[in-house]
Amino acid sequence: MIELKDIVKVFDTPTGPVEVLKKVSLSIRQGEIFGVIGRSGAGKSTLVRCVNALERPTSGAVFVGGVEISRLDGAALRAARRDIGMIFQHFNLLSSRTVFDNVALPLEIAGKSKAEIQQTVAPLLDLVGLADRADRYPAQLSGGQKQRVGIARALALKPKVLLCDEATSALDPETTKSILALLKDINLKLGLTVVLITHEMNVIKELCDRVAVMDHGAAVEVGEVFEVFSDPQSEAAQTLVRDVLNHDLPQEAARRLRPGNPPGTNPVIRITFTGPSATTPVVAELARDVGVDVNILHGHIDYIQGRPYGVLTAELSGGDAAVQAAFAHILGKSLKLEVLGHVAGND
Amino acid sequence: MSPAMIDLLWQGLLETLQMVGISGLLATLLGVPLGVLLVVTGPGHILPHRTVNAVVGVISNIVRSTPFIILLVAIIPVTRLIVGTSIGTAAAIVPLTLAAIPFVGRLTEAALREVDAGLIEAAQAMGATPLQIVVKVLLPEALSSVVAGLTITIVSLINYSAMAGAVGGGGLGDIGIRYGYQRFLPEVMITVIVILIILVQAVQTVGDRLARRLNKRVKG
């Protein structure tokens, strides 16, 4: 649906040219919710703005539905943009227009008749749950309601693609949830391809099918959200994942860790449960069948796209032989095992 | 005050209203587009054009920096060309309009610049043409500020119209100078000033109310 090929973007600044995008290539499929995540300044906003040519790449090509939008101009570009809806962090609603007239704006711009506008806007306001606010002005709405108007407006011309530029970053967590649910609903109902950029890993976790992790202008990791969460490869992805999943050792336990494997110490291990193995009662098995003592230091289970994902940090004790047997048992269950370090047994 | 004097003041008021009304209307019709042109041709805006922007900017500054009393006499040939005469109320309307156009233009420019760039971007993302952006986004969003600017312009025009006497334009200001000052009739001078104060107050009040009603950026 959307192809970005070797996108390079250089901005001229007073201090010299800055390369914001460094040969980014992405392929976004029809009907999926694709997330782009990165710290501010990673280039994600510039990237998404290349999709509707609000920004022109310095080199590279952008295809939307087979059309090279990065080459279009004038009337052809305006026509192509009507197939791409966009919502914004600060909503960008016209303060001088009512909710109804804001949603009607793209239809007016496309030259639709009054009757057609009337017919299109009312069901859209229903869809976003604002039918009773049609005559209000944006200043009379809450942030969440404003974004709902933004969504209705973006859908007015029945686009094939919806671009979301930090659409929930100005909203509180509760409102963010409801907006994300609405986006999911729209994605399913209308079969819309959604490209969402955010700096919040939670948004990606809740909503997206696939994700691209941006770092310093490059897409350092692209994949299924579950894969990126459960097994992040790049440093940028690992940092982002750590922020939401928070499977770092508690400080107290980290303080006791000793490097190497001095005699008389116990290993501290981290077991990662993903997919089907997430339901394995491994702790009980270790204690009962292998005969090691498992002292749980930290652990939690999360659901990413409905699939369980758990992390458990524990200290094993009971002698070298038992510990080795325990490692073998864990690996035999095809669980991911990491030894984080050792702690003195009597510490 | 004699009935003749009251009649004279009444005539003066009508002339002032005529001069300010017509030149205000014409200056709005020409000055608002000038303001739009100054904004949209600016760097990074919807129709950036360095030359047009610079030329229009310089011309409007030249007109604005010329003292009105000088402008009034300097453009007499142009006035004669447009209205066929260089004296009288009609002749005063030409320089008043000319002085007010760049004034309205700059105030409109300032009002349009206040419109959030995000709104322009949203309209572009919808596939709006530059004209649609001006008509459907920039002007409606800035309308309240434009009206406030026009209010200032009209008050300034009331002020400037007092100098119209120099070309026989008449009006209250002219009466104030000829009768109140030159013939030393303080009661005429005071009456003229009081009428002008009431006029300015009325214009400002109406303008403020209109601007407030048009501003939807606040709750209520």
Side-chain angles (χ1 to χ4, degrees), chain A residues 49 92 95-96 108-109 140, chain B residues 118 121 127 132 136 141 216 220:
Chain A
R49 291 151 54 86
N92 295 352
S95 66
S96 58
E108 286 175 28
I109 283 170
Q140 300 166 311
Chain B
E121 197 161 78
Q132 284 173 324
K136 291 191 179 290
E141 284 295 302
K216 305 293 186 191

Side-chain angles (χ1 to χ4, degrees), chain A residues 54 92 94, chain B residues 39 45-46 112 115-126 128 133 137-138:
Chain A
L54 282 178
N92 295 352
L94 271 63
Chain B
V39 169
H45 217 276
I46 52 178
L112 296 183
V115 175
D116 186 356
L119 299 184
I120 298 166
E121 197 161 78
Q124 282 175 325
M126 290 171 204
I133 292 174
V137 178
L138 284 180

Side-chain angles (χ1 to χ4, degrees), chain A residues 147-311:
Chain A
Q147 195 57 288
R148 284 167 185 273
V149 178
I151 291 170
R153 181 178 72 175
L155 297 177
L157 291 171
K158 300 188 172 58
K160 300 182 182 74
V161 175
L162 179 64
L163 306 178
C164 309
D165 186 355
E166 296 276 7
T168 57
S169 301
L171 303 175
D172 61 64
E174 201 65 27
T175 315
T176 295
K177 267 207 158 108
S178 80
I179 292 293
L180 294 182
L182 176 63
L183 289 174
K184 183 82 205 168
D185 185 45
I186 287 164
N187 164 258
L188 293 174
K189 265 191 200 156
L190 310 177
L192 208 64
T193 307
V194 179
V195 183
L196 181 149
I197 74 162
T198 182
H199 64 270
E200 298 168 297
M201 205 60 177
N202 266 319
V203 170
I204 301 283
K205 196 179 91 184
E206 294 262 331
L207 192 65
C208 296
D209 302 312
R210 291 197 305 141
V211 62
V213 179
M214 299 278 301
D215 189 32
H216 294 99
V220 290
E221 195 163 341
V222 182
E224 300 285 331
V225 168
F226 190 85
E227 308 302 331
V228 173
F229 264 89
S230 55
D231 192 15
Q233 301 296 314
S234 61
E235 211 187 305
Q238 284 163 3
T239 314
L240 287 164
V241 167
R242 205 178 308 137
D243 284 353
V244 268
L245 294 186
N246 182 31
H247 48 49
D248 278 350
L249 265 185
Q251 261 191 353
E252 179 56 25
R255 198 181 50 77
R256 292 167 53 210
L257 274 186
R258 299 279 177 273
N261 187 3
T265 58
N266 296 325
V268 171
I269 59 165
R270 176 154 70 203
I271 312 171
T272 307
F273 306 79
T274 55
S277 65
T279 50
T280 310
V282 70
V283 175
E285 290 171 1
L286 287 177
R288 190 182 58 213
D289 305 342
V290 184
V292 287
D293 293 329
V294 183
N295 174 25
I296 295 175
L297 300 172
H298 181 61
H300 80 146
I301 292 191
D302 218 308
Y303 286 82
I304 301 160
Q305 297 179 301
R307 292 158 73 183
Y309 168 78
V311 175

